[in-house]
Amino acid sequence: MKQAYFKLHIALILAGFTGIFGKLITLNEGLISWYRLFLSSIIMIVFFAIKRSMSSTTSPDKFKIGFTGLLLGLHWLLFYGSIKYSNISVGVVCFALSSFFNAVLGPIINKKRVSFQELFLSGLTLCGIALIFGMDAHYRTGIILGIVSSMFSALYTLYSERIVKQHEGGTFLLWQMVGGCIGLTLVMPLFFLISSTVSIIPSTADFGWLLVLSSFCTVLMYFLINSALKKIPSFTVSLTFNLEPLSPSCLRY
């Protein structure tokens, strides 16, 4: 259990840099999310090509794992949209609402009793969001995107918790990234209809940041998160990530 918490907090530190990359990369939120999934998929494919061994997974399980990847991709898209329309601090603070959505949606998805303790602890975040929302109308679009993003983050954590224990960590992450990339590819045409973009090809600098983002803040980070979910409840994972506003993202910006 101690090892699981250690992995979770290392993942939390890595998560703190994702917002910074969202500002450094000049692509829009949709392309950042797609390239992040695409490059992460390539990294995992290369890893297993070198390793030359992978746990077998049935097609239905691949679909279920891939669905969690799509939820993750939609979370990223909205999270980076929140940052683009406001700033890193607002986007990260809104992300803290994932524990609240976890407390609300968890009993529905897992068919269990509502925990009023979880609702109280996670509901405290609502006060901070309401305060920010009322202070500056300029950030409201970013806040709304951030709130919806946190809901998808909670769904990702809840569904991953249900199936991650049945699979080897690397294999689970591979199909998660591949499924998310395929799913987000199908969503991108709709995204381009409502959001204009200057270029879909990243610059050299953008590609470099995307590669770092994919390697450390995606493949490594989500391997640690998925590993922690095998031992730690999804609500605890979501609540721990409420500490992300204290991460490097907000220290720099």
Side-chain angles (χ1 to χ4, degrees), residues 208-221:
W209 292 124
L210 283 166
L211 196 57
V212 175
L213 174 64
S214 302
S215 301
F216 296 99
C217 298
T218 304
V219 171
L220 176 58
M221 184 178 79

Side-chain angles (χ1 to χ4, degrees), residues 54 59-60 77 107 119 163 169 183 186-187 192 197 215 220 230 235:
M54 183 174 63
S59 295
L77 190 154
L119 282 174
I163 58 178
L186 298 176
V187 173
F192 286 132
T197 181
S215 301
L220 176 58
K230 293 184 177 184
F235 176 78

Side-chain angles (χ1 to χ4, degrees), residues 169-201:
T171 304
F172 185 88
L173 186 61
L174 168 66
W175 296 117
Q176 194 171 63
M177 294 297 111
V178 171
C181 184
I182 294 172
L184 203 60
T185 300
L186 298 176
V187 173
M188 288 304 288
L190 176 61
F191 174 79
F192 286 132
L193 287 176
I194 61 178
S195 178
S196 60
T197 181
V198 177
S199 174
I200 62 172
I201 305 299

Side-chain angles (χ1 to χ4, degrees), residues 43-249:
I43 290 170
M44 291 306 301
I45 291 171
V46 170
F47 170 78
F48 279 109
I50 295 173
K51 187 180 178 183
R52 294 188 178 182
S53 65
M54 183 174 63
S55 301
S56 60
T57 310
T58 64
S59 295
D61 283 343
K62 290 176 183 177
F63 180 82
K64 292 176 182 177
I65 298 170
F67 177 69
T68 68
L70 175 59
L71 292 174
L72 186 60
L74 293 173
H75 156 61
W76 290 345
L77 190 154
L78 293 162
F79 174 70
Y80 286 120
S82 176
I83 290 174
K84 298 287 187 181
Y85 281 96
S86 54
N87 56 47
I88 293 178
S89 298
V90 170
V92 171
V93 169
C94 289
F95 173 69
L97 272 176
S98 59
S99 60
F100 173 76
F101 283 113
N102 191 294
V104 172
L105 298 173
I108 299 173
I109 293 173
N110 296 322
K111 298 179 181 179
K112 65 178 185 178
R113 295 180 62 182
V114 174
S115 171
F116 291 101
Q117 182 181 11
E118 291 182 358
L119 282 174
F120 173 75
L121 290 172
S122 58
L124 293 175
T125 313
L126 286 172
C127 300
I129 300 296
L131 181 62
I132 299 173
F133 198 97
M135 286 177 59
D136 195 336
H138 179 68
Y139 291 150
R140 289 188 178 178
T141 300
I143 290 172
I144 292 171
L145 291 173
I147 291 172
V148 181
S149 167
S150 66
M151 182 185 70
F152 277 105
S153 174
L155 288 171
Y156 158 77
T157 308
L158 285 164
Y159 279 108
S160 293
E161 180 190 26
R162 296 182 67 181
I163 58 178
V164 70
K165 297 175 185 177
Q166 306 166 19
H167 302 278
E168 187 272 327
T171 304
F172 185 88
L173 186 61
L174 168 66
W175 296 117
Q176 194 171 63
M177 294 297 111
V178 171
C181 184
I182 294 172
L184 203 60
T185 300
L186 298 176
V187 173
M188 288 304 288
L190 176 61
F191 174 79
F192 286 132
L193 287 176
I194 61 178
S195 178
S196 60
T197 181
V198 177
S199 174
I200 62 172
I201 305 299
S203 64
T204 303
D206 282 344
F207 183 79
W209 292 124
L210 283 166
L211 196 57
V212 175
L213 174 64
S214 302
S215 301
F216 296 99
C217 298
T218 304
V219 171
L220 176 58
M221 184 178 79
Y222 281 96
F223 180 83
L224 294 172
I225 291 174
N226 291 335
S227 180
L229 278 171
K230 293 184 177 184
K231 300 288 186 180
I232 302 173
S234 60
F235 176 78
T236 303
V237 172
S238 295
L239 191 64
T240 301
F241 274 82
N242 283 4
L243 295 172
E244 193 173 344
L246 302 178
S247 66
S249 295

